[in-house]
Amino acid sequence: MRAVVVTSPGGPEQLRVADVPDPVVGRGDLLLDVAAAGVNRADLLQRAGHYPPPPGAPVWPGLEASGVVVEVGDDVDDGWRVGDRAAVLLAGGGYATRVAVPAALALRLPPDADLPLVDAAALPEALATFWSNARAARLAPGETLLVHGGSGGVGTVAVQLARTLGVRVLATAGGPQRCAAVRALGADVVVDHRAGRVREDVLAATDGRGVDVVLDVLGAGALGENVRMLAEGGRLVVIGLQQGRRGELDLPALMSRRGSVLATTLRDRPAAQKAAIMAEVREQAWPAVLDGRVRPVVHERLPLERAADAHRLLEGGGVLGKLLLTT
């Protein structure tokens, strides 16, 4: 089969399409002919040599894909059949024409679903990321959530899905056009981070109270501001490090709010944990996709051969939603 491989750690120019061995279908696995793969920031880190795949995962990038089932392994239950369409969460290997994946990490796309198979590739990573972190933060109906990077791949899904949970959603985005796009997704308040007044605007929008949960992709650079935006009992959940890996935590500020800081990853979790997360996504979040309340926001669809261009686009910071690589 064909896959996008990293010839050596470095820039986007290190990506090229090559012939690689077909995946092996194990017990409990599905084999898919891939329609598209989602492009994530973790892929950029892997390409640069900073985020190696977990043991046993393919060495080429790709954390999510969509496609058609062409083989069902032994011990697969839940009625999977050849010809079924699916969106899948992967530990790696999505930038390819075929993937093998545990059925426990697959989301079935019914024949009558009003969602293109290609675009479904934009959802598994974002759904699992938001859902697992919302649960970890004990996000509850009636609370207020701040989504940093509301125009990103995770952010666009988080804004929509949080609204289905009865949560008031605040989000940040860069520039009037992106702010308008996030507002159209259902965010109650969108703050333009380029104005440099995120904390002031968030506190004004909450009458000085702050937010119950912050979903943060920025990391060290936003640590102090995030703590100061927490309401009493607020929870800061760090899921990305776009503004640095190490920061200084103002413990008195955190203590005065009786707040907490959580930090999670998804890719390297044990298989049983990822299966449990996807079981909840399948039961409680996927129906919102199938009935149209949550839709993928796709910035551009590019062929596998243009993976380097996709990485350059994502690194450039102008992507709204998700980039997809099609086969």
Side-chain angles (χ1 to χ4, degrees), residues 47-251:
R47 185 207 71 221
H50 304 313
Y51 195 19
V59 297
W60 45 93
L63 300 181
E64 58 190 342
S66 61
V68 177
V69 176
V70 293
E71 185 177 341
V72 178
D74 294 337
D75 297 333
V76 172
D77 52 14
D78 200 27
W80 284 101
R81 298 287 185 270
V82 170
D84 285 347
R85 303 185 304 159
V88 297
L89 182 71
L90 303 165
Y95 291 14
T97 53
R98 281 195 165 185
V99 295
V101 59
L105 304 184
L107 302 166
R108 183 183 278 106
L109 192 62
D112 60 351
D114 184 24
L115 174 63
L117 179 60
V118 165
D119 290 0
L123 292 171
E125 177 77 11
L127 288 171
T129 295
F130 174 74
W131 195 264
S132 60
N133 284 287
R135 285 290 177 257
R138 309 179 311 282
L139 181 64
E143 290 194 317
T144 301
L145 167 71
L146 172 62
V147 178
H148 276 299
S151 60
V154 172
T156 51
V157 170
V159 167
Q160 296 177 79
L161 190 51
R163 291 284 293 169
T164 73
L165 302 177
V167 171
R168 185 179 186 225
V169 181
L170 283 66
T172 66
Q177 182 178 358
R178 296 166 76 83
C179 286
V182 175
R183 194 173 295 110
L185 293 174
D188 297 281
V189 177
V190 183
V191 175
D192 188 344
H193 64 73
R194 294 179 184 173
R197 292 178 43 86
V198 172
R199 176 164 59 93
E200 293 86 349
D201 290 346
V202 166
L203 292 177
T206 57
D207 296 324
R209 176 182 177 272
V211 298
D212 298 293
V213 176
V214 176
L215 187 67
D216 177 56
V217 297
L218 302 176
L223 189 57
E225 289 287 274
N226 282 333
V227 169
R228 291 176 177 84
M229 289 187 288
L230 291 178
E232 182 177 336
R235 292 84 73 195
L236 166 60
V237 187
V238 181
I239 63 169
L241 303 170
Q242 293 178 24
Q243 290 186 1
R245 303 166 61 91
R246 297 179 182 273
E248 187 171 292
L249 182 62
D250 186 343
L251 289 175

